[in-house]
Structure formats: structure tokens, C-alpha cells
Amino acid sequence: PLPWPAAIVWLNGEIKAGDTLLRPRPKMLADGDYSAGWIVGAYLAEGHLPKDKRHAVHFSIHRKEIDELSGVINEFAEEHRLINRQGETPQARTMVLGRNGGSVEVSHFMIRQMIEEWVGGDRATTKYLKKMPDALEFARGMWEGWIWGDGHESVVTRDGREYRVASGTTSSDLLAQ
């Protein structure tokens, strides 16, 4: 490890406005399972935390995606035995908006807390991971949830090998991670 403060060596020119000098790496921590990771990934792509609802997590999606996302959230709540104040398993609320728009919202403090634990930033362009998972199933779920929402996956075959290509985010911090 380098002593702190570490010496910085510039190889190609001068520092100019807009240059990134240091991008901190999130701490690697174990946490969660596949479905928890998938919800965090879907949140990275499509979610926001309403400021006027303490426990709510909201997703803005295409109407064709409503059933899949609400199903994953409801299954997660049942698997993890989440209970609301009425002693019931919370259910994702869904709404069709206009011709193609849709929304899914779930209100439970543990789901909101999970999102706040993993994701920072308050807008699509400022989201970032506060930590990186080291649990393989959580990481796989997070990746697949993110690609489900913001990505495109296609299989390209070359030299007898399959390559999966994925893309899409508006957050430069998230992309750098």
C-alpha cells in the first residue's frame, strides 16, 4: 500500500477543469441474496425514493414490465417474511400511466433501508453504489436487475464462444464502478 498522502504522478499533460483526480472505491461487503440484489439492480435502473413517503420505493417502468417487477417484489416480501403495521405481507402497488408508462411502488421500511444501504445519489444521473457486493448471488441478482431495467443484452457468437453485451446508464459514477 502507498503511504498517505500518496504521491501523484501525471503522465500525459496538465490538470484541467473537469478532470477526475480520484474516484473512491466502495468497500466490499457481503450482503443479501439473489432477489435482494435484483431489486437493488432494478432500483439502480428505474427507481427513486419519494421524499414525501418515508418507507416507499418507487419504480417508473414500461407498462409491459409491471407484472414482472411487482411479482419479484411480492415474492421477496414473502420469502423474507416482511410484515407491515397491519400484520400483512406488503404488496407492490401498480399503476398504468398513459399509453406505455407504468409504475410500481412498495412501502416497507426494510426494503427502503436496503436501497438506502446500497445506493447513493438522489437522481438518475447521480446514483452510485455505496459498497460492492462480494456475495456472488447478490452480485448476480444486482447485475441482472440493472440490465433488466437499463440495459440491453444480446448474444454475439464469435469463434465458437458466446459473448453477452450489455449497456445503459445515465450515471457516470455508476458506470465507472
Side-chain angles (χ1 to χ4, degrees):
L2 294 173
W4 188 258
I8 298 174
V9 178
W10 293 97
L11 300 176
N12 293 321
E14 299 293 318
I15 300 172
K16 55 188 177 301
D19 285 350
T20 299
L21 303 179
L22 177 66
R23 188 178 302 272
R25 299 192 70 183
K27 188 176 177 183
M28 297 287 282
L29 295 171
D31 211 316
D33 57 14
Y34 176 86
S35 58
W38 199 95
I39 291 170
V40 170
Y43 175 82
L44 287 169
E46 307 291 358
H48 75 274
L49 301 175
K51 294 186 186 324
D52 60 337
K53 299 178 181 177
R54 276 187 349 184
H55 302 307
V57 179
H58 187 94
F59 299 84
S60 299
I61 56 178
H62 192 280
R63 69 184 302 161
K64 293 179 187 174
E65 301 168 324
I66 289 174
D67 291 340
E68 184 174 3
L69 178 58
S70 62
V72 169
I73 291 170
N74 292 341
E75 191 174 299
F76 175 83
E78 284 181 30
E79 282 178 12
H80 294 276
R81 296 187 175 109
L82 301 184
I83 303 295
N84 62 20
R85 279 184 252 172
Q86 291 77 29
E88 303 165 344
T89 301
Q91 296 293 303
R93 291 182 298 283
T94 64
M95 187 180 346
V96 174
L97 305 168
R99 224 173 89 204
N100 294 317
S103 73
V104 173
E105 185 174 282
V106 63
S107 186
H108 193 276
F109 77 96
M110 288 187 68
I111 295 175
R112 173 93 177 220
Q113 184 178 357
M114 177 178 72
I115 296 299
E116 290 175 338
E117 180 182 338
W118 282 94
V119 181
D122 59 354
R123 299 183 350 214
T125 58
T126 61
K127 286 182 189 170
Y128 64 94
L129 289 171
K130 292 180 177 179
K131 57 186 179 178
M132 299 297 279
D134 68 356
L136 181 60
E137 282 304 299
F138 184 92
R140 189 171 66 86
M142 188 170 62
W143 174 254
E144 290 179 9
W146 183 34
I147 296 305
W148 173 86
D150 257 358
H152 169 72
E153 184 177 13
S154 59
V155 177
V156 178
T157 304
R158 183 186 299 167
D159 303 328
R161 294 183 181 173
E162 282 189 0
Y163 297 89
R164 300 207 179 269
V165 180
S167 63
T169 185
T170 57
S171 170
S172 58
D173 289 332
L174 188 56
L175 182 61
Q177 290 178 318

